[in-house]
Amino acid sequence: MRRLVVLAVLTLAACTEAGNTLAPPMDRFFFPSGLALTSTAGGNQALLVASANFDLHYAFDSGATVLSVDPRPASEGGSARPGGGALVKHGAGARLPSFTGPLAVADATTCPGDLANPGFGTATRPATALITSRYVNRLYLLPIGADGALEPCGGPECSLPLDPRLLDAGSVTVTCRADGARRTAWVSYLWDPQLTTAAGVVVSPGTAWLSEVDLEDPAVALRTIPLTFGTVADAVYDAASDRLFAVGGSSTFTAPVFVLNLRPCRPGDATCPSPSFVVTDLYGALRGTDLTGIALSNRQAGRGRRAYVSARVYDADIALAGGYRPANDIAGVLMVLDIEENGGGKPAMRVLSVTEVGLGPGKVAVLPPRPAHADGTPRGDLVVVTNSTDGVVTVYDDDLGAVVRVLPLDERTGRPEAGRVPYALVVDPRPRGTGADVFVRAYVASFRQDMISLVDVPLLNPGAAAIYREGGQPAVIGTVTP
């Protein structure tokens, strides 16, 4: 299914390549595809929003954008206001080639230490936004100033060609070691032709590939590795174990979870071996599973480590009879996996539970740890999932093993409260409020309505999670498309 979508988009681009030169607007979002947060010098947050130019309305080679905005309510000096509207921006933003994907940020939190290259994380440029463009199959590295603004950067250090053998670069995951021994990021691909490796091994289409980028010196040759079947849909880094966890989308009746044991060395080091990896196939646990997102549990004494994996579910019998993945899903689920170390010191994963959520589950995020129970035992995680088909946002409580809140369709209009096709998701880890009223805020992008919703989740009463409102009306970021 992913390949059909990619081919359709590329065909549209080819048919309209006559020369669209419209410049994209820099005061609004259009098909927001990625969100990321980074801290500013004043102690606030900058929300980075990537717009994909998905319908190619604007210029193909520069029609996507990344804007940095103040996500606070307008009453606090930010962009969120009832009904949406004008943005409070940090800087002018950046124009990029079309079909941008998810955003990642390498900053003092995700990539500790000083990056050596003057474009990446020095005292004057403390953070870097990382994003791919499928249109040109490149990775863009955009320096972020201390005030949250994207700084001008037109040189070769701001744009990196990815593996020319592969197509449609997708997600980016920062994988910097806490001790500073390695500062890298991994990029996934959504489409691969049949390839022959340097060793003469023929790798068939449908293989998952990842490329490692050296953030200290992006000019260093990429390290590109094949995994097993399935394109990588999402990935998350665990700094404590120095492992990369990734989920593969289904095109071959598999649902792989990859766990890569990373190396404490840079990809350009010829003596540095490629990471080893193990694969757990979840298809046997639930036929028709197509994995879409992954997040890891908080590390808490007394609780085992878990992975939360979102998955679309299609009719496996129809797929088997036709030899292809059906376009329509029959369910959406959140799978809870236990992560253990086997006798050989390798991660072993088993399914603890499968909970139904809305159709079209996409991104998954785990909220910060909650206050302990009265007896001192830690509480389970709170997990937020976006459901693009149903247009809802789901809150799951691992203490109860159940969904405790679904941000629904508006009872009066039937419209999704978080906008049509909610997909991109990011959580501000800083708790707000005090005592029993403490809550955490998540930002959810509506791909079809070009807006960002603020979702507040009370840590001790997650069933009361709600869209942030002012005067009874949702306060959103951006100009809302009807």
Side-chain angles (χ1 to χ4, degrees), residues 320-334:
L320 187 61
Y324 62 91
R325 188 224 194 274
N328 296 324
D329 298 336
I330 59 174
V333 299
L334 179 68

Side-chain angles (χ1 to χ4, degrees), residues 308-481:
Y308 302 98
V309 176
S310 59
R312 301 175 181 231
V313 183
Y314 57 85
D315 191 311
D317 293 328
I318 292 178
L320 187 61
Y324 62 91
R325 188 224 194 274
N328 296 324
D329 298 336
I330 59 174
V333 299
L334 179 68
M335 309 179 81
V336 181
L337 312 179
D338 180 53
I339 305 173
E340 298 177 341
E341 301 289 327
N342 62 21
K346 296 181 179 179
M349 310 182 81
R350 61 187 178 93
V351 178
L352 296 177
S353 65
V354 178
T355 301
E356 190 164 349
V357 295
L359 285 174
K363 295 301 181 181
V364 185
V366 172
L367 273 58
R370 299 190 276 175
H373 289 286
D375 62 0
T377 59
R379 296 179 189 268
D381 298 300
L382 291 178
V383 184
V384 178
V385 184
T386 54
N387 309 106
S388 59
T389 304
D390 275 353
V392 300
V393 178
T394 302
V395 180
Y396 169 87
D397 187 340
D398 199 44
D399 237 8
L400 304 176
V403 170
V404 293
R405 179 74 168 121
V406 177
L407 297 173
L409 308 182
D410 187 280
E411 295 180 358
R412 297 172 300 168
T413 65
R415 295 177 179 174
E417 287 194 357
R420 293 193 298 273
V421 191
Y423 183 70
L425 166 69
V426 68
V427 171
D428 184 345
R430 304 172 305 172
R432 303 163 188 259
T434 58
D437 296 326
V438 66
F439 68 95
V440 166
R441 177 163 292 167
Y443 299 94
V444 176
S446 166
F447 189 74
R448 287 290 182 183
Q449 288 193 275
D450 305 326
M451 68 183 196
I452 315 297
S453 297
L454 286 60
V455 178
D456 292 340
V457 184
L459 294 182
L460 297 179
N461 184 23
I467 300 288
Y468 173 76
R469 296 172 181 267
E470 288 186 353
Q473 187 177 0
V476 300
I477 303 171
T479 300
V480 181
T481 300

Side-chain angles (χ1 to χ4, degrees), residues 111-298:
C111 201
D114 290 330
L115 295 174
N117 189 288
F120 307 96
T122 64
T124 56
R125 292 178 176 174
T128 302
L130 311 173
I131 188 169
T132 61
S133 165
R134 287 164 48 199
Y135 185 78
V136 293
N137 209 41
R138 298 179 75 92
L139 173 67
Y140 289 85
L141 305 100
L142 309 175
I144 307 170
D147 60 353
L150 297 174
E151 296 193 345
C153 187
E157 72 274 13
C158 295
S159 173
L160 176 69
L162 295 171
D163 197 304
R165 304 170 299 170
L166 304 170
L167 300 172
D168 292 298
S171 64
V172 185
T173 308
V174 174
T175 53
C176 297
R177 281 176 59 101
D179 61 5
R182 186 196 65 251
R183 299 183 181 94
T184 61
W186 288 83
V187 179
S188 68
Y189 301 86
L190 301 179
W191 190 26
D192 64 302
Q194 179 172 298
L195 299 179
T196 302
T197 67
V201 178
V202 176
V203 183
S204 300
T207 300
W209 293 82
L210 288 169
S211 288
E212 187 177 19
V213 178
D214 191 332
L215 295 181
E216 288 199 34
D217 187 1
V220 169
L222 299 172
R223 182 204 308 277
T224 300
I225 62 170
L227 303 174
T228 58
F229 290 112
T231 55
V232 173
D234 195 19
V236 62
Y237 175 59
D238 179 35
S241 64
D242 199 20
R243 287 172 174 158
L244 180 68
F245 292 74
V247 292
S250 174
S251 59
T252 54
F253 308 109
T254 60
V257 180
F258 309 104
V259 184
L260 283 69
N261 294 295
L262 304 182
R263 310 292 188 183
C265 50
R266 298 168 61 179
D269 183 353
T271 64
C272 183
S274 294
S276 63
F277 65 90
V278 296
V279 185
T280 301
D281 191 350
L282 301 183
Y283 200 88
L286 181 61
R287 295 174 69 239
T289 299
D290 185 358
L291 308 183
T292 55
I294 183 170
L296 300 178
S297 65
N298 293 297

